[in-house]
Amino acid sequence: MARIIVDGIEVDVPPEYTLLQACEEAGKEIPRFCYHERLSVAGNCRMCLVEVKGGPPKPTASCAMSVRDLRPGPNGEPPVVLTNSPMVKKAREGVMEFLLINHPLDCPICDQGGECDLQDQAMAFGLDRSRYHESKRAVENKYIGALVKTEMTRCIHCTRCVRFTAEVCGTSDMGAIGRGEDMEITTYLEKAMTSELQGNVTDLCPVGALLPKPQNFRARPWEYNKTPGVDVMDALGSAIRIDTRGREVMRILPRLNEAVNEEWISDKSRQIVDGLKTQRLDRPYVRENGKLRPASWTQAFTAIAAKVKAAAPEKIGFIGGDLSSVEDLFAAKALAESLGVKNIDGRQDGVKLDPARGRASYLFNATIEGVDRADALLIVGSNPRWEAPVLNARIRRRWRHGDFPIGVIGENLDLTYSYTHLGSGPDALAKVAQGEGFGEILAKAERPLILVGQGALAREDGAAILALAAKLGGPKGDWTGLSILHTAAARVGALDIGFVPGEGGLDAAAMAKAGALDVAFLVGADEINVELGAFVVYVGSHGDRGAHRADVILPGAAYTEKTGTYVNTEGRVQISDRAAFPPGDAREDWAIFRALSATLGKALPFDSLTQLRAKIYEAYPWLARVDAIATSDPISLASLPSGTLGHGALVSPISDFFLTNPIARASRVMGECSALAHGRVTAQAAE
């Protein structure tokens, strides 16, 4: 540690700290535009100037000088840094004057107004007048995609967006052209950005140059009610903030969570907003004469009760969806058990995971933060760039730090980092497990990470692939490398509460076959097609595939409209708060099952969310430990049943990143992004 004196306050900081970081450790606010904690240092805005005693007789850019570069005093005293001296004050005022020379000062019509760094710092560190009266420069707006709107006349060339796309995204979508007054930040030939994380540049931009296009001119920041939530667009469980105005969700932003998503979210998580109010189910429906007609809750429940009472328990089934909360699935399971039903399954994609094999067999055991400590990575049957873009960015960061060999078994894709493609099928995994080629690297690694995707586990030989992967990623001291990357936000929670077939029960694939069931309950399950023959009851929020097949529709709440528990891919328990209310007669899914159970004469033993959670915590105590990962027993990995490996390439289950769930498919913005990504739309520069 190095000692430094900041405005008379002594602090001990690591020598590699920048002066800016050291000053903040001392509790001093340092203005900045180009500096960002997660990006490389550019040192081009000059707003973070400080005075260093004994140094050059001029202000120093605190973001570009390290503490180790300072000289002690003549008698060995710690270096002295001043953040509020007359020199610093005058220098910052001058820098602010320069930054505002060409800035249009159109705050009243700028969407950034109210949460703009330039506004805040001009008030705190700038002057109340300017000495420049020349004409301001103007820059033509550029098309850079469907998600980010440009007002480049406002740009102050901090280059945060350029560094983000190059370093975090790995796509180098943005760059600078021209020099001096003609310098412009843009994409190459006005091409749309290609990263799944591109929307984060609107958070990074300290002015109103880059703005979220779908939210253009819709509301002011002070009009929003801000609610903490959990993202369900993938299984990572990113921390989000849901901003609402009245009953409407207006935008979704990331929240800081170092253990999961740091401060990034994917574009799907951010711009799913319009899908939350499109194609919504706001009243019950009953199918009569082949057509769905609106009905009351009583009529819908009566129709269901007649079918359930006429069916044997072994001819009734419950299939859980990918966006359901733990409370929803627990209530559905409780209803099934009260009816004597053993046909329940939350694995609608047929993935070969079973809680009976131990929690370590279906978790990302290395943890998301553990990616930073891993020293080798094997990706099996997964495309993390589409399945979990924020996790992929963390893998890329670890790769950039060096000494991190990566092997991939499956599709040969652009993951934004270099890797060795070992093969497409499970035979390549068998060779690695035998210690050949990349297997030698994994054997020598102290902390090997084996990332297994659903593209490997949803096959007929998924259990055999899991056993081989467990052999490679078994316990090494305090490190367990086997890490399952789920694609469904509800999957780990479903496995945790045992939402799988009971003894002799049918799994999801078997339940979907014609004649297997007389009554099928789809709990937000839209990714499975129940064949003809069953009476289908759909409980969900959107008129998607499940609702199209249903005989009775019970309108549920979307994830922003209910308080729910979600368990992410590493087993971290998180709670999302309700930000808005469901439309019309829609209700939370667990409440629907509670009301239905009374009609069926099997009333469930809870009447409120508090009582429901008490039942959950009594049965599964680890779910009460919010924001914590319950310890699992990795020893059980050695006893996973092996089997015969099949043939054929391991393919990720996600073929279109933007259209993976009912909310996304209802979103016009996601549809436009999908069309751009697959070349179905050629955007013109004038658009």
Side-chain angles (χ1 to χ4, degrees):
M1 301 293 280
R3 178 158 296 184
I4 182 174
I5 300 175
V6 180
D7 292 343
I9 302 172
E10 285 195 16
V11 291
D12 291 322
V13 296
E16 63 270 13
Y17 264 30
T18 63
L19 296 188
L20 189 152
Q21 292 171 306
C23 292
E24 291 193 334
E25 282 290 312
K28 300 297 178 180
E29 181 183 0
I30 304 296
R32 83 294 295 271
F33 291 113
C34 68
Y35 176 81
H36 192 276
E37 292 82 357
R38 305 186 196 280
L39 304 176
S40 61
V41 174
N44 54 10
C45 79
R46 319 309 288 182
M47 194 65 204
C48 63
L49 297 173
V50 296
E51 181 180 354
V52 179
K53 284 291 187 180
K58 62 179 182 178
T60 299
S62 61
C63 71
M65 177 176 279
S66 299
V67 172
R68 63 159 61 96
D69 296 329
L70 298 180
R71 294 180 297 175
N75 300 315
E77 303 95 335
V80 175
V81 175
L82 302 176
T83 68
N84 55 7
S85 66
M87 176 196 290
V88 172
K89 185 174 184 296
K90 184 177 181 181
R92 289 176 179 170
E93 289 173 349
V95 169
M96 184 60 70
E97 257 191 296
F98 277 116
L99 289 174
L100 295 179
I101 289 175
N102 285 311
H103 194 79
L105 303 180
D106 54 354
C107 304
I109 62 166
C110 177
D111 273 342
Q112 196 85 345
E115 51 186 9
C116 175
D117 292 347
L118 188 62
Q119 275 185 335
D120 296 340
Q121 295 184 39
M123 291 294 294
F125 303 102
L127 287 168
D128 60 352
R129 61 183 57 86
S130 174
R131 291 171 287 178
Y132 294 92
H133 302 287
E134 292 80 10
S135 299
K136 295 177 180 287
R137 79 165 193 161
V139 180
E140 182 181 351
N141 289 330
K142 308 295 192 301
Y143 175 85
I144 61 174
L147 301 180
V148 181
K149 175 195 174 189
T150 58
E151 290 286 349
M152 302 312 292
T153 299
R154 301 170 184 159
C155 181
I156 61 172
H157 299 163
C158 70
T159 68
R160 280 185 181 182
C161 56
V162 175
R163 285 173 284 147
F164 175 78
T165 58
E167 298 166 12
V168 178
C169 300
T171 56
S172 298
D173 283 329
M174 301 194 73
I177 60 173
R179 294 177 62 84
E181 187 181 22
D182 296 325
M183 178 179 172
E184 298 180 22
I185 303 294
T186 182
T187 58
Y188 183 66
L189 295 180
E190 301 190 31
K191 180 183 176 184
M193 289 195 286
T194 57
S195 171
E196 296 77 22
L197 298 168
Q198 61 181 273
N200 291 286
V201 300
T202 63
D203 295 335
L204 288 171
C205 184
V207 296
L210 300 176
L211 297 165
K213 186 179 289 186
Q215 280 81 45
N216 189 32
F217 298 138
R218 296 194 63 204
R220 285 297 196 176
W222 53 84
E223 298 179 72
Y224 296 132
N225 290 318
K226 304 171 179 64
T227 307
V230 177
D231 175 49
V232 298
M233 293 299 110
D234 55 39
L236 205 66
S238 299
I240 58 174
R241 193 186 84 194
I242 306 165
D243 288 357
T244 57
R245 186 177 62 179
R247 296 177 61 95
E248 183 180 2
V249 176
M250 302 297 290
R251 67 176 181 177
I252 294 175
L253 297 177
R255 280 189 298 122
L256 183 66
N257 188 338
E258 295 289 354
V260 180
N261 62 304
E262 299 178 303
E263 59 186 89
W264 318 124
I265 56 174
S266 73
D267 294 334
K268 185 166 54 177
S269 305
R270 181 186 299 269
Q271 296 299 358
I272 204 73
V273 174
D274 64 319
L276 288 168
K277 56 180 179 290
T278 307
Q279 294 188 357
R280 288 305 303 270
L281 301 174
D282 59 357
R283 67 185 68 179
Y285 288 86
V286 175
R287 189 179 297 276
E288 290 183 355
N289 300 321
K291 293 184 178 181
L292 289 168
R293 66 162 182 84
S296 66
W297 282 102
T298 302
Q299 292 171 329
F301 285 167
T302 301
I304 296 170
K307 292 292 184 180
V308 170
K309 291 176 181 178
E314 57 271 17
K315 300 292 282 185
I316 302 174
F318 288 73
I319 301 177
D322 292 346
L323 307 183
S324 300
S325 67
V326 171
E327 289 84 354
D328 300 336
L329 295 175
F330 183 87
K333 181 187 177 188
L335 177 58
E337 290 175 344
S338 70
L339 296 172
V341 174
K342 296 182 179 180
N343 305 321
I344 61 173
D345 200 357
R347 308 162 301 179
Q348 58 178 328
D349 56 359
V351 68
K352 304 300 184 291
L353 295 173
D354 193 330
R357 299 171 186 163
R359 204 163 184 252
S361 68
Y362 60 84
L363 292 184
F364 200 97
N365 293 288
T367 73
I368 296 169
E369 282 188 301
V371 172
D372 299 332
R373 299 190 297 122
D375 50 10
L377 170 63
L378 176 65
I379 299 175
V380 182
S382 175
N383 176 6
R385 181 173 176 180
W386 282 4
E387 295 172 19
V390 176
L391 175 67
N392 195 63
R394 195 182 280 259
I395 294 173
R396 172 177 164 77
R397 183 179 66 189
R398 174 63 186 88
W399 169 78
R400 290 180 67 233
H401 289 168
D403 194 23
F404 190 52
I406 302 175
V408 172
I409 297 175
E411 299 171 275
N412 193 357
L413 303 165
D414 177 12
L415 298 179
T416 72
Y417 40 81
S418 60
Y419 58 82
T420 303
H421 188 245
L422 306 175
S424 300
D427 55 328
L429 178 62
K431 292 179 181 178
V432 173
Q434 293 169 5
E436 300 179 21
F438 200 81
E440 296 181 10
I441 297 176
L442 294 176
K444 295 177 183 177
E446 295 181 8
R447 293 178 295 277
L449 198 162
I450 315 301
L451 190 157
V452 185
Q454 305 304 289
L457 301 177
R459 296 160 45 106
E460 289 297 324
D461 59 349
I465 293 176
L466 178 63
L468 272 182
K471 177 182 175 183
L472 291 168
K476 279 192 175 184
D478 62 347
W479 176 267
T480 303
L482 178 67
S483 299
I484 310 301
L485 179 58
H486 292 274
T487 56
R491 185 61 49 78
V492 174
L495 293 171
D496 272 354
I497 66 171
F499 202 89
V500 293
E503 185 177 354
L506 303 176
D507 61 15
M511 283 189 270
K513 293 180 180 178
L517 298 178
D518 289 339
V519 181
F521 287 87
L522 303 184
V523 190
D526 290 275
E527 314 307 321
I528 190 168
N529 181 35
V530 177
E531 297 180 20
L532 297 177
F535 180 85
V536 176
V537 179
Y538 177 76
V539 183
S541 60
H542 283 70
D544 202 70
R545 299 166 184 167
H548 295 165
R549 170 64 184 85
D551 295 289
V552 174
I553 296 175
L554 304 178
Y559 72 103
T560 58
E561 300 159 359
K562 59 187 174 186
T563 299
T565 302
Y566 297 92
V567 187
N568 77 347
T569 191
E570 61 180 346
R572 184 181 301 274
V573 181
Q574 302 179 100
I575 291 182
S576 181
D577 293 334
R578 179 171 59 193
F581 288 91
D585 292 333
R587 298 292 183 267
E588 296 182 40
D589 295 14
W590 70 264
I592 294 174
F593 288 115
R594 170 61 183 86
L596 177 60
S597 69
T599 303
L600 296 173
K602 304 286 186 180
L604 298 178
F606 49 81
D607 295 315
S608 66
L609 182 62
T610 301
Q611 294 175 357
L612 170 58
R613 283 187 173 159
K615 293 291 183 182
I616 295 174
Y617 298 158
E618 180 184 349
Y620 312 102
W622 65 88
L623 294 178
R625 297 193 285 273
V626 179
D627 202 32
I629 303 173
T631 304
S632 56
D633 182 15
I635 303 301
S636 61
L637 297 179
S639 60
L640 289 179
S642 58
T644 303
L645 294 176
H647 303 283
L650 306 182
V651 180
S652 170
I654 296 180
S655 58
D656 191 330
F657 168 73
F658 296 102
L659 304 177
T660 57
N661 59 64
I663 305 176
R665 289 189 286 268
S667 168
R668 180 194 59 80
V669 176
M670 291 297 99
E672 184 178 351
C673 291
S674 173
L676 281 171
H678 292 83
R680 295 192 295 268
V681 172
T682 303
Q684 301 299 320
E687 292 183 357

